């Protein structure tokens, strides 16, 4: 895979130019994307900055994020060829840092569940996940060193795990969602994909203008609580084994590791996620539903049909439960002898076939809580499919989540 830090080190050493680094990405795309199908469109003549901390870094932009020089199609024929007049702020920030938004990556339509044509770069017969399918697959295939995605349920963490890359869902609103097609304003979160934890930490620190995210020192003995939520359907044996392998590796590296149980309130909050998501989605996509319902793909159309019956009383009650759970999660970190939580990224490896993007049940609670999440590749199944684990820290402690993820990454080799 292309590493952001490796490319930048070569540029700083004078052995690679920014044009040359972007050229490596373009060559990889030409060689591999016919099989992976990660891109909605490419910039044929990108402007390449010579200065900036991300000069020479080609970036994939999920195709629900506005770009002024490339179409933003939302994964839907309703927006085919649509050209925003302005970059989303996160894209403008990338350009100021010297990065090259080289391509729009595929998204499930409006970032819901109906799959794209993108294939898993590790096994073409399996799903890359979703909704940020193209971003995860492009990094996993070694075509880009960095890509942006979004998460409303599990749309960064899950595809990152399926494609064997690092995925980061930052603290809620750490990165601006202005210029991103909304599905749920209380849940939508910008995230990113990279080859390694260090690459992701550097990119997030620069995008958020918070250098401390990349400077959190390894504590040497982080306190890690291992969580297997009892309010979710059980995970597959391979995923549980990967979680235990990561926990034991972290312990050997000096971490203090113990099992952690969550109070029943978190199960109640987990059940509130779809209520909040559906209530807000029926408003966020009201125009598309009213004027183009038949052009919506089947899973999204059915979800919006059902969402018309979600009332304000249920929505307000769900928000109150979520708020209580967020306050209680502060106590888990504050009183539970825990610096970070280690849990599952997905129920198992990427599912076979392209009819499903997989299940987000091990992601939705943490999205609702607004806390930073990092998925780290741990191992592969006998069939060569990646398995990852998810590291979670308290709200605003993105640097600690990344530091613990880096410890696990090193520990598992």
């Amino acid at each position: 895979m292309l590493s952001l830090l490796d490319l930048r080190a070569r540029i700083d050493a004078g052995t690679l130019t920014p044009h040359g680094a972007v050229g490596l990405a373009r060559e990889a795309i030409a060689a591999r994307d016919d099989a992976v199908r990660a891109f909605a469109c490419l910039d044929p003549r990108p402007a390449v900055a010579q200065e900036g901390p991300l000069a020479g870094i080609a970036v994939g932009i999920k195709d629900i994020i506005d770009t002024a020089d490339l179409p933003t199609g939302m994964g839907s024929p309703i927006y085919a060829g649509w050209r925003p007049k302005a970059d989303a702020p996160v894209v403008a920030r990338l350009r100021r840092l010297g990065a090259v938004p080289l391509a729009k990556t595929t998204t499930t339509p409006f970032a819901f569940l109906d799959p794209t044509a993108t294939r898993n770069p590790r096994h073409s017969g399996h799903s890359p996940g979703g909704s940020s399918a193209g971003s995860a697959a492009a990094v996993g295939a070694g075509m880009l060193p960095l890509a942006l995605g979004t998460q409303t349920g599990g749309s960064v963490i899950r595809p990152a795990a399926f494609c064997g890359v690092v995925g980061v869902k930052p603290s809620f609103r750490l990165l601006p969602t202005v210029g991103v097609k909304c599905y749920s304003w209380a849940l939508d979160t910008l995230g990113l994909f990279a080859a390694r934890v260090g690459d992701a930490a550097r990119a997030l620190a620069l995008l958020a203008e918070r250098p401390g995210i990349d400077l959190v020192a390894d504590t040497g003995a982080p306190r890690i609580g291992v969580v297997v939520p009892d309010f979710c359907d059980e995970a597959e044996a391979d995923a549980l084994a990967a979680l235990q392998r990561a926990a034991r590796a972290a312990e050997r590296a000096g971490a203090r590791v113990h099992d952690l149980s969550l109070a029943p309130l978190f199960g109640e909050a987990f059940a509130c996620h779809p209520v909040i998501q559906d209530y807000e989605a029926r408003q966020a996509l009201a125009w598309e539903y009213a004027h183009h319902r038949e052009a919506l793909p089947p899973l999204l159309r059915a979800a919006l049909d059902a969402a018309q019956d979600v009332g304000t009383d249920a929505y307000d009650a769900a928000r109150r439960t979520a708020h209580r759970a967020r306050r209680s999660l502060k106590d888990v970190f504050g009183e539970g002898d825990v610096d970070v939580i280690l849990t599952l990224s997905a129920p198992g490896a990427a599912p076979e076939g392209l009819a499903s993007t997989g299940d987000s049940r091990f992601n939705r609670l943490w999205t609702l809580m607004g806390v930073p999440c990092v998925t780290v590749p741990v191992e592969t199944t006998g069939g060569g499919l990646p398995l990852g684990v998810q590291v979670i820290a308290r709200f605003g402690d993105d640097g600690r989540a990344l530091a613990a993820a880096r410890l696990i990454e090193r520990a598992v080799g």
Side-chain angles (χ1 to χ4, degrees):
M1 286 187 278
L2 292 174
S3 163
L4 182 155
L5 291 180
D6 287 350
L7 291 171
R8 281 299 314 165
R10 292 168 63 188
I11 292 168
D12 291 341
T15 60
L16 182 69
T17 66
H19 274 100
V22 174
L24 292 175
R26 292 171 64 87
E27 290 169 10
I29 291 168
R32 299 168 194 161
D33 195 50
D34 282 349
V36 179
R37 306 178 193 176
F39 299 106
C41 61
L42 294 167
D43 189 338
R45 293 177 297 276
V48 179
Q50 300 303 300
E51 301 293 336
L54 291 181
I57 300 302
V59 186
I61 310 296
K62 184 177 179 177
D63 201 25
I64 61 167
I65 302 172
D66 284 352
T67 45
D69 55 356
L70 290 171
T72 301
M74 316 294 179
S76 169
I78 297 170
Y79 285 89
W82 184 61
R83 297 292 293 263
K85 289 187 177 296
D87 286 332
V90 70
V91 177
R93 174 68 179 161
L94 281 168
R95 294 191 200 277
R96 288 197 300 274
L97 293 165
V100 179
L102 182 62
K104 300 304 285 286
T105 54
T106 61
T107 176
T108 62
F110 300 105
F112 193 59
L113 298 177
D114 301 86
T116 72
T118 305
R119 298 175 178 272
N120 192 302
R122 302 297 183 90
H123 197 307
S124 63
H126 288 250
S127 172
S131 60
S132 307
S135 289
V139 174
M143 295 187 289
L144 292 173
L146 180 66
L148 299 184
T150 63
Q151 179 159 307
T152 306
S155 294
V156 170
I157 298 299
R158 186 173 81 259
F162 286 172
C163 293
V165 301
V166 171
V168 180
K169 183 206 76 67
S171 294
F172 185 64
R173 293 294 187 254
L174 182 67
L175 299 178
T177 54
V178 177
V180 180
K181 181 61 175 176
C182 180
Y183 196 90
S184 166
W185 56 87
L187 299 169
D188 292 349
T189 309
L190 267 167
L192 50 87
F193 301 85
R196 297 200 294 262
V197 176
D199 301 320
R202 179 67 52 80
L204 182 59
L206 289 167
L207 283 171
E209 300 184 76
R210 288 172 170 82
I213 286 173
D214 194 29
L215 298 175
V216 174
D218 294 335
T219 62
R223 300 169 301 167
I224 299 177
V226 180
V227 171
V228 179
D230 58 7
F231 46 80
C232 293
D233 290 342
E234 191 172 350
E236 297 171 17
D238 281 346
L240 292 168
L243 180 63
Q244 289 306 311
R245 181 188 173 203
R248 299 290 77 80
E251 197 167 40
R252 289 192 300 272
R256 293 165 50 196
V257 180
H258 65 276
D259 292 336
L260 179 68
S261 296
L262 296 176
L265 174 60
F266 293 100
E268 297 172 24
F270 172 78
C272 290
H273 178 281
V275 177
I276 294 170
Q277 176 181 272
D278 293 352
Y279 179 87
E280 295 184 352
R282 74 173 171 84
Q283 297 180 68
L285 297 175
W287 180 84
E288 290 84 358
Y289 185 77
H291 298 281
H292 297 280
R293 180 181 174 279
E294 294 308 312
L296 298 172
L299 295 178
L300 177 57
R301 185 167 62 244
L304 291 177
D305 286 344
Q308 306 308 306
D309 295 327
V310 180
T312 53
D313 288 347
Y315 173 69
D316 289 344
R319 291 178 64 204
R320 288 192 292 270
T321 299
H323 180 66
R324 290 198 305 273
R326 291 186 193 110
R327 293 182 64 182
S328 184
L329 188 59
K330 293 180 182 178
D331 296 334
V332 171
F333 287 109
E335 302 170 5
D337 197 33
V338 170
D339 295 314
V340 297
I341 289 169
L342 178 65
T343 189
L344 299 148
S345 295
E352 187 172 5
L354 302 178
S356 167
T357 63
D359 191 305
S360 64
R361 64 179 179 266
F362 293 114
N363 315 124
R364 294 195 292 271
L365 173 66
W366 311 114
T367 306
L368 180 63
M369 294 298 96
V371 290
C373 306
V374 184
T375 192
V376 185
V378 171
E379 60 187 16
T380 57
T381 67
L385 289 166
L387 293 163
V389 296
Q390 184 176 193
V391 179
I392 297 157
R394 73 182 72 204
F395 179 80
D397 212 355
D398 298 69
R400 188 176 298 276
L402 285 155
R406 186 158 13 196
L407 179 144
I408 291 170
E409 179 183 64
R410 291 169 179 164
V412 298

